Amino acid sequence: MKNTVLTLQQQKRNGDKITMLTAYDYTTAKLMDKAGINCLLVGDSLGMVMLGYDSTLPVTMEDMIHHTKAVARGAENAFVVADLPFMAYQVSVEEAVRNAGRLVKEAGAQAVKLEGGKEVCAQIEAINQASIPVIGHLGLTPQSVNVLGGYKVQGREHDAAVKLLEDALAVEKAGAVALVLECVPATFAEWISSILTIPTIGIGAGAGCDGQVLVYQDMLAMFSDLSPKFVKKYGAVGNLMKESFERYAQEVKDGIFPGEEHIYNMDEEVLNELKKQFEEEQNEYR
Ligand SMILES: Nc1nc(=O)c2c([nH]1)NC[C@@H]1CN(c3ccc(C(=O)N[C@@H](CCC(=O)O)C(=O)O)cc3)CN21
Ligand SMILES: CC(C)C(=O)C(=O)O
Ligand SMILES: [Mg+2]
């Protein structure tokens, strides 16, 4: 059965941890869905892992729609969330609602996620008013990398922690259905999770959150441009891919691939007849 926003709330109430992974394409989404992952996030991290940008800032609405469509087609049960990319919601409440609407209406997302605290609460309220569930995102908010000065742990000092707590409460009050906490000290994230009634989904925020999310190329060790401490590698898929590509290239060079089992056959008489005809016709022109 398709997971919904209600499933998430129930999972927090029941202490059943929410599992989320990023997904950007149909094939991967389908594998994750079959594995029973609860939520698929079409993250704007796709700018880095799929498109090779060095931040999430260049990602466009068209990029997000393109990848969300593919993921939505592969997600039979999983709840599909799409990130609102940089500058799709910051300029005005009206733009935020219109762009959130596109992710749902054109691309098939069930909810949208946006980064920020009090400064985006008007957007969260308005998107929610348009019947689109919104997920908040606090702590390390990668779209603010230029003001944060890098990808660093957030909320460690008293003043920053007060601000983060106030933002979390404001985001919940504005109507967010869940909150991603990224790169926040574990004890602090656990405490925030106990205060909020909406589920928290942590990345680099410890086991006290109500759910976890990772970028799938990180957990499969496919992506090595970044190596955050919070990533656990569940498979050496990057190495497996590279070795497979090498073996394929070698076998093509050596004439080992394709083998007998990979080819289509033709009646030998048909080919012989064709060869004979061809030779005769060639002789006519000599
Ligand atoms: N592939 C990928 N994985 C991600 O988790 C991710 C992206 N891309 N792109 C967008 C952001 C950027 N993220 C990052 C990137 C680097 C660190 C990192 O290296 N952090 C330091 C923290 C050092 C400190 O402040 O103490 C670390 O050592 O973990 C963390 C999150 C998370 N998001
Ligand atoms: C890392 C998660 C939370 C995200 O926002 C993304 O993948 O873009
Ligand atoms: Mg993101």
Side-chain angles (χ1 to χ4, degrees):
M1 217 178 64
K2 189 74 173 169
N3 286 338
T4 69
V5 62
L6 293 177
T7 321
L8 297 183
Q9 318 291 343
Q10 264 163 19
Q11 283 185 272
K12 171 152 184 154
R13 252 203 319 271
N14 299 341
D16 174 19
K17 296 281 187 185
I18 297 162
T19 57
M20 177 186 258
L21 283 172
T22 66
Y24 316 101
D25 69 276
Y26 172 77
T27 301
T28 311
K30 203 167 162 179
L31 286 167
M32 290 171 179
D33 189 85
K34 289 206 161 122
I37 299 298
N38 301 138
C39 309
L40 305 187
L41 172 65
V42 188
D44 58 350
S45 53
L46 72 83
M48 297 173 79
V49 293
M50 300 299 288
L51 305 177
Y53 297 130
D54 67 359
S55 77
T56 58
L57 304 189
V59 175
T60 66
M61 274 300 296
E62 304 312 316
D63 293 332
M64 294 308 304
I65 288 169
H66 181 73
H67 288 273
T68 302
K69 279 179 168 177
V71 169
R73 288 191 283 257
E76 200 183 313
N77 298 308
F79 187 70
V80 177
V81 182
D83 266 349
L84 277 162
F86 183 56
M87 284 300 124
Y89 60 94
Q90 288 89 344
V91 175
S92 72
V93 169
E94 197 179 301
E95 279 190 42
V97 177
R98 182 161 295 118
N99 286 321
R102 291 190 69 194
L103 291 173
V104 173
K105 187 170 181 168
E106 293 176 40
Q110 290 171 271
V112 301
K113 181 167 78 59
L114 53 75
E115 298 178 9
K118 287 177 184 167
E119 72 280 8
V120 292
C121 281
Q123 282 87 332
I124 294 174
E125 273 174 38
I127 295 168
N128 208 27
Q129 287 271 324
S131 305
I132 298 170
V134 187
I135 295 181
H137 182 160
L138 289 170
L140 170 51
T141 47
Q143 291 176 18
S144 302
V145 64
N146 289 323
V147 292
L148 298 177
Y151 299 124
K152 297 172 186 161
V153 176
Q154 302 294 312
R156 255 192 185 137
E157 308 303 326
H158 177 269
D159 290 3
V162 169
K163 184 180 184 310
L164 211 161
L165 179 62
E166 286 179 0
D167 279 339
L169 290 165
V171 163
E172 170 169 278
K173 190 153 174 260
V177 297
L179 176 64
V180 167
L181 291 175
E182 179 166 349
C183 286
V184 176
T187 48
F188 185 37
E190 181 177 14
W191 183 56
I192 294 173
S193 303
S194 74
I195 289 173
L196 296 185
T197 59
I198 59 172
T200 61
I201 301 173
I203 173 165
C209 294
D210 303 301
Q212 297 295 325
V213 59
L214 283 174
V215 170
Y216 89 81
Q217 287 92 342
D218 293 343
M219 59 98 76
L220 295 183
M222 294 168 67
F223 185 80
S224 53
D225 294 5
L226 302 170
S227 50
K229 186 183 178 187
F230 58 74
V231 173
K232 179 170 177 179
K233 299 190 167 93
Y234 285 87
V237 176
N239 277 336
L240 182 68
M241 287 173 77
K242 186 168 154 283
E243 282 165 18
S244 304
F245 300 148
E246 286 168 352
R247 216 149 33 80
Y248 162 76
Q250 196 57 55
E251 290 197 357
V252 170
K253 303 256 185 219
D254 293 346
I256 294 170
F257 177 80
E260 272 303 315
E261 66 274 41
H262 308 117
I263 62 174
Y264 304 101
N265 294 314
M266 181 180 185
D267 196 331
E268 212 174 330
E269 277 174 31
V270 176
L271 186 60
N272 286 339
E273 175 65 17
L274 189 69
K275 285 178 178 174
K276 209 176 88 196
Q277 272 179 9
F278 182 74
E279 268 167 37
E280 283 165 9
E281 281 170 29
Q282 284 225 316
N283 288 336
E284 284 173 28
Y285 296 105
R286 287 216 181 107

